[in-house]
Amino acid sequence: MGYSWSELEDIFQNALQMPASERVNYVEIHAKDDERLKQTVLMMLRDAENADQYFDKLQEGIADGFEEKKEDIYQPGDIVDKYKIINALGRGGMGQVYLAERNDQQFEQKVAIKCFSPEEVKQNFFENFRNEKQFLATLNHAAIAHILDGGVTDDGIHYIIMEYANGLPIDEYLEKHHLSVQEKLQLFLKISDAINYAHNRLILHLDIKPSNILVNEEGQVKLLDFGIAQKMGEPLKQKYIIASPFYAAPEQLKQKPVSVATDIFQLGILLHLILSNKFPFDKEKFPNDSKREFGLEQNLINKEFLSIIKKCLNESPEERYVSVSALAQDVENFLRSRPVNVHSQNWSYFAGKFIERNKIKILLSILLIISMGVGIIFSSYQANKARENELKAIKTNEFLLDIFKNADPNITEGNLTVKEILDNSVNSIESKFEDKEFKLSLYDRLINIYTNVYLWNDSRELAEDVLNRYQNIDNYSKLKIMSTLGGNYRELSEYQKADSIFSILMQRIDRDVKELPLDFKIENILAFAKSQQIQGNYDTALQIIDRANDLINNKTLEKDRADIYNHYASVYKALSKYDSASYYQTKAINILKLNKSPEHQNALAIYYNNQGNLYRDMAQYDSAIASFEQSISLKRKIDSKANLDVAITLSNLGGTYYKKKNYDSASIILNRAIEIFSTQLKPDNNFIVSTRYSLANIYYNQLKFEKALSEYKEILNADTTNFGIDHPYVADDYISISNCYRELEETDKAYEYLKKAESIIEEKFDESHQKTSYLYNKFGILFEKQENYTMAQMYFQESYNLANKYLGEDHRYTQEYKKDVERISNIMKGDLNKM
Amino acid sequence: MVNQGEITQLLVKVNNGDINAYNKIFPIIYSELRHIAHRIRFQYFGIETLNTTAIVHEAYLKIINSEADWNSRAHFYGVAGKAMRHILLNAARRKNAIKRGRDAQHLCFEEWEEKINLSDECSDELLRLDEVLNELERKDSKQVKIVECRFFANMTIEETAAVLDISPSTVKRNWQVIKAWIYSQIQARKTA
């Protein structure tokens, strides 16, 4: 058996400590007469360094063995779709990429075709390949390689046809051209601009790395593989994605959900690479060390830039930049030699960060401010002084209100949720203070905070309780609580309660014309109008808005004036008076367009959204999409999180794609909207219901009538509960249900539901409303189906006459109805001829 | 399927030398490693260097999950190192059988092992390494465990120390000796 391991170890270790010249001698003495041991140790001493290399090489050999040896899917000359393969390009991550040209010689166009074998497809869960392809095709940016088409061949190969981008990967480009720091940063800004553009459309890249960024000789940038990672590898939810580990964000490595912040992390690595040509960590050690130790290039990169990169590379996504535009802003500031704002971010960033870390402190500071104010009131008894201090306290609390705006009420801090902190504050108000008016002003703020963190029910309960307990007090604080409560009732779809609150407020506004602030008055008048409008009382709504309009004078704030116009536009739109609606909507937008304050930008985003809806109703779909995108872009600038506001506009955008008959894009966008809504709202909330309505319409148009029918029925239930049995929405539901029954050949039921719709429409609208002509047209179609051509002709004719009279001859509905009239006449002529 | 708590317990037992626990957990980890190595090659984001580290790490996340405590991580890697050694050895044997014109089917390899495409050179090296490791096993089996941890599971010195319950400096020293010894034995076999 020979030498023992411990013998060997001892001699080897000891010899290694000695100068090289003495080693042989030492081994010969200690190995005694064991020749094998002697030879072995001597060999080990000689080759110690080669041993390391041997193991490294073996590791490499193993790694090669794991590499997939891909077989080419296509050969030069093969035809895919309308294109002929020229040669393999072999770049990018998944799939194989080929250069191809048009096969039909119609015009010269080179494209890149990315192909996936059936096995790859199976492994990568491309279930909705067609949908995804269309969704990605909505990216239309000069720096993003455009997706032209795509499909599946007969033998199961999935392909995406992309614009062919000529150029070098950015790392090679930088090696070849020696750019100044300024020029490098310009290049980076081009990249981040494209990524920001995609983010505004809720598409993430998730695989930002040099090989995906091409730069051509003119310095133009093209990003490849946009959104493929996210879209193909099962997006959004928990399903994990492994990116190239060197570029992967910590959440990707930990298989946690990805977000905008993931792309920002990768941009941080890219920025470091661009500036220093090095990774910001030791590539050798990673990913062997599960944690990446960042060591930035202090010597090669400017100090200010290091802080920008560091911010991108934060372990926790929340600590990174909120948006790519915030990152780009800092880079631009640097270029223009302005101070970089790494530490003083935009408002929502600051608020978000502050709230995350300081929830308990915020609570304490609220209480501190409260007690300071109270202390002054009771010690000095100086009423004026007290009021002044209260004003100060209000100002400070406005600040706190804003902080709470973006907080998630369920996040815990020291075992307390924000909700619990707020609940505790309520208790301390009651126990600590005596002065009722003062308490009321504190409650007012707390109720507002509850609303701002979407705790509508808690806000409502507290408001009801407070109003009940302080019936004998009558001051401005109490009116503000009522106003908040009215708004909450409306959000919670309790319109009767909302109306009764607003009626009381209206009386007070009329009575105390002089005392109440103008913006409070306008705000509440408009809230009342909105409530009426939602309930379908359009004339009343207009009259109420007129009252707000009458209050306009030279002291009226811009935002209040814009708001009044916005409300006019909304009601006129509901009345199908598009010219007036369009006039007012544009007016509202123009007032706010130039004002950059966050509050105004917020309102502006909403107005763009409304303008989109208006254009959609006017069948100007491309303008509508542009307005919606404008709105989403603004909203995401204000707050990068996917929140309700964004979801609302997404829902509308999806509806527009539906109208454009682009059902695939529509259903993806709508499902996303529902997903966001569902995290914050009850299932029968009107936002969710109306988005589901659009989805049901898609099913209907895809001829999935049974699925559509069951959806419409659930929507009908929700609408009936939310709006009452005779609301126009309910009439729409009846018509949709009728359509399904008609297509399912259950014409009796179809007729029954049309009759139900008719009774509502006759009661709510006169014959001038488009719903009347629309309904008659549906009767016509149903009778035609039943081959009752005489009745069908009657209804078609009536429908056409009304549309012609009220919508005008050129309106698309009128044109449609006209075709129906012509068709039925021909059928009847044919019948006559047969007789 | 064994749940995660059981796996963690099994790992502790394995660490205490329980051979039954080892026999129970080895196939689980072995099959997961095979499965992952197969799947990972089709993953969209081609890992730039797809190596044992990536695969073992992936298997770890799948079987244990990232929140598990550091100790069970180390124990897992300990078993995974041995499993990875088996996988690679089988792949090398298969390659070798083909090269020598023997019927590889006859040897009944797992589907996945057929897909590891080792070069002739690499599979020869792995077969040789295995012979040397068997000899090391006879001399001092503890040293083989260090190889499995350090080389086959790519564990750090600290992780290896935790699995084997020895100090990191001992691991470092031993690993240096082992590497030099293995290399010398392999060289000797090549020249023989």
Side-chain angles (χ1 to χ4, degrees), chain B residues 71-92:
Chain B
N71 254 328
S72 35
R73 176 182 149 91
H75 297 151
F76 172 87
Y77 271 57
V79 182
K82 190 177 262 315
M84 187 51 84
R85 183 182 159 194
H86 271 255
I87 290 169
L88 288 170
L89 182 64
N90 275 348

Short mmCIF file of all heavy atoms in Angstrom, two decimals, chain B residues 71-92:
data_model
loop_
_atom_site.label_atom_id
_atom_site.label_comp_id
_atom_site.label_asym_id
_atom_site.label_seq_id
_atom_site.Cartn_x
_atom_site.Cartn_y
_atom_site.Cartn_z
N ASN B 71 -25.94 26.60 6.59
CA ASN B 71 -25.49 25.25 6.85
C ASN B 71 -26.08 24.23 5.89
O ASN B 71 -25.37 23.40 5.33
CB ASN B 71 -25.87 24.84 8.27
CG ASN B 71 -24.64 24.84 9.16
OD1 ASN B 71 -23.54 24.57 8.68
ND2 ASN B 71 -24.83 25.16 10.42
N SER B 72 -27.41 24.32 5.68
CA SER B 72 -27.99 23.31 4.79
C SER B 72 -27.52 23.54 3.36
O SER B 72 -27.42 22.61 2.59
CB SER B 72 -29.51 23.28 4.87
OG SER B 72 -30.04 24.53 5.06
N ARG B 73 -27.20 24.79 3.06
CA ARG B 73 -26.61 25.07 1.76
C ARG B 73 -25.31 24.30 1.59
O ARG B 73 -25.09 23.62 0.60
CB ARG B 73 -26.36 26.58 1.64
CG ARG B 73 -25.67 27.00 0.38
CD ARG B 73 -25.44 28.52 0.43
NE ARG B 73 -24.24 28.86 -0.31
CZ ARG B 73 -24.24 29.17 -1.60
NH1 ARG B 73 -25.36 29.18 -2.27
NH2 ARG B 73 -23.12 29.47 -2.21
N ALA B 74 -24.46 24.39 2.60
CA ALA B 74 -23.17 23.71 2.53
C ALA B 74 -23.37 22.20 2.43
O ALA B 74 -22.74 21.52 1.61
CB ALA B 74 -22.35 24.06 3.76
N HIS B 75 -24.30 21.66 3.23
CA HIS B 75 -24.53 20.21 3.20
C HIS B 75 -25.05 19.77 1.85
O HIS B 75 -24.66 18.73 1.32
CB HIS B 75 -25.52 19.82 4.29
CG HIS B 75 -25.00 20.10 5.64
ND1 HIS B 75 -25.81 20.40 6.72
CD2 HIS B 75 -23.73 20.18 6.11
CE1 HIS B 75 -25.06 20.63 7.78
NE2 HIS B 75 -23.79 20.51 7.43
N PHE B 76 -25.92 20.58 1.31
CA PHE B 76 -26.44 20.25 0.00
C PHE B 76 -25.31 20.16 -1.02
O PHE B 76 -25.22 19.23 -1.80
CB PHE B 76 -27.45 21.31 -0.44
CG PHE B 76 -27.88 21.14 -1.85
CD1 PHE B 76 -28.94 20.31 -2.16
CD2 PHE B 76 -27.21 21.78 -2.89
CE1 PHE B 76 -29.33 20.13 -3.47
CE2 PHE B 76 -27.60 21.60 -4.20
CZ PHE B 76 -28.66 20.77 -4.48
N TYR B 77 -24.46 21.17 -0.98
CA TYR B 77 -23.38 21.20 -1.96
C TYR B 77 -22.48 19.99 -1.80
O TYR B 77 -21.92 19.48 -2.76
CB TYR B 77 -22.58 22.50 -1.80
CG TYR B 77 -23.12 23.63 -2.65
CD1 TYR B 77 -24.44 24.02 -2.50
CD2 TYR B 77 -22.33 24.27 -3.58
CE1 TYR B 77 -24.95 25.04 -3.27
CE2 TYR B 77 -22.83 25.30 -4.36
CZ TYR B 77 -24.14 25.68 -4.21
OH TYR B 77 -24.64 26.68 -4.98
N GLY B 78 -22.32 19.55 -0.54
CA GLY B 78 -21.49 18.39 -0.29
C GLY B 78 -22.00 17.18 -1.05
O GLY B 78 -21.25 16.47 -1.73
N VAL B 79 -23.31 16.93 -0.96
CA VAL B 79 -23.88 15.78 -1.66
C VAL B 79 -23.88 16.03 -3.16
O VAL B 79 -23.58 15.15 -3.96
CB VAL B 79 -25.32 15.50 -1.16
CG1 VAL B 79 -25.88 14.27 -1.87
CG2 VAL B 79 -25.32 15.30 0.33
N ALA B 80 -24.18 17.26 -3.54
CA ALA B 80 -24.24 17.59 -4.97
C ALA B 80 -22.90 17.38 -5.65
O ALA B 80 -22.83 16.98 -6.80
CB ALA B 80 -24.71 19.02 -5.16
N GLY B 81 -21.82 17.64 -4.93
CA GLY B 81 -20.49 17.45 -5.50
C GLY B 81 -20.30 15.99 -5.91
O GLY B 81 -19.81 15.69 -7.00
N LYS B 82 -20.73 15.09 -5.02
CA LYS B 82 -20.59 13.67 -5.33
C LYS B 82 -21.48 13.30 -6.53
O LYS B 82 -21.05 12.58 -7.43
CB LYS B 82 -20.99 12.83 -4.10
CG LYS B 82 -20.66 11.35 -4.26
CD LYS B 82 -21.00 10.58 -3.00
CE LYS B 82 -19.84 10.32 -2.06
NZ LYS B 82 -18.59 9.88 -2.64
N ALA B 83 -22.69 13.85 -6.53
CA ALA B 83 -23.61 13.55 -7.62
C ALA B 83 -23.04 14.04 -8.95
O ALA B 83 -23.09 13.35 -9.97
CB ALA B 83 -24.97 14.18 -7.35
N MET B 84 -22.49 15.21 -8.91
CA MET B 84 -21.93 15.78 -10.14
C MET B 84 -20.77 14.92 -10.63
O MET B 84 -20.59 14.71 -11.83
CB MET B 84 -21.49 17.22 -9.86
CG MET B 84 -21.04 17.99 -11.08
SD MET B 84 -22.21 17.95 -12.45
CE MET B 84 -23.33 19.25 -12.02
N ARG B 85 -19.99 14.41 -9.69
CA ARG B 85 -18.87 13.54 -10.05
C ARG B 85 -19.40 12.32 -10.81
O ARG B 85 -18.86 11.93 -11.84
CB ARG B 85 -18.14 13.11 -8.77
CG ARG B 85 -16.92 12.26 -9.04
CD ARG B 85 -16.27 11.83 -7.74
NE ARG B 85 -15.45 10.64 -7.98
CZ ARG B 85 -14.97 9.88 -7.01
NH1 ARG B 85 -15.25 10.16 -5.74
NH2 ARG B 85 -14.23 8.83 -7.31
N HIS B 86 -20.48 11.72 -10.29
CA HIS B 86 -21.08 10.56 -10.94
C HIS B 86 -21.55 10.88 -12.35
O HIS B 86 -21.32 10.11 -13.28
CB HIS B 86 -22.30 10.08 -10.14
CG HIS B 86 -21.92 9.10 -9.09
ND1 HIS B 86 -22.17 7.76 -9.20
CD2 HIS B 86 -21.30 9.28 -7.91
CE1 HIS B 86 -21.71 7.15 -8.13
NE2 HIS B 86 -21.19 8.05 -7.32
N ILE B 87 -22.22 11.99 -12.45
CA ILE B 87 -22.77 12.38 -13.75
C ILE B 87 -21.65 12.51 -14.79
O ILE B 87 -21.72 11.98 -15.88
CB ILE B 87 -23.53 13.71 -13.63
CG1 ILE B 87 -24.81 13.51 -12.83
CG2 ILE B 87 -23.85 14.28 -15.00
CD1 ILE B 87 -25.50 14.79 -12.44
N LEU B 88 -20.60 13.22 -14.39
CA LEU B 88 -19.51 13.46 -15.33
C LEU B 88 -18.78 12.17 -15.67
O LEU B 88 -18.39 11.94 -16.81
CB LEU B 88 -18.55 14.50 -14.76
CG LEU B 88 -19.12 15.93 -14.73
CD1 LEU B 88 -18.21 16.85 -13.94
CD2 LEU B 88 -19.29 16.45 -16.17
N LEU B 89 -18.65 11.33 -14.66
CA LEU B 89 -17.97 10.06 -14.90
C LEU B 89 -18.77 9.23 -15.92
O LEU B 89 -18.20 8.67 -16.86
CB LEU B 89 -17.83 9.29 -13.58
CG LEU B 89 -17.08 7.96 -13.71
CD1 LEU B 89 -15.64 8.20 -14.14
CD2 LEU B 89 -17.12 7.19 -12.39
N ASN B 90 -20.07 9.17 -15.72
CA ASN B 90 -20.91 8.43 -16.67
C ASN B 90 -20.79 8.99 -18.08
O ASN B 90 -20.71 8.24 -19.04
CB ASN B 90 -22.37 8.47 -16.23
CG ASN B 90 -22.66 7.38 -15.22
OD1 ASN B 90 -21.84 6.49 -15.02
ND2 ASN B 90 -23.80 7.46 -14.57
N ALA B 91 -20.80 10.32 -18.16
CA ALA B 91 -20.70 10.94 -19.48
C ALA B 91 -19.37 10.57 -20.13
O ALA B 91 -19.31 10.29 -21.33
CB ALA B 91 -20.86 12.44 -19.36
N ALA B 92 -18.32 10.58 -19.33
CA ALA B 92 -16.99 10.27 -19.87
C ALA B 92 -16.93 8.80 -20.28
O ALA B 92 -16.37 8.47 -21.33
CB ALA B 92 -15.93 10.59 -18.83
#
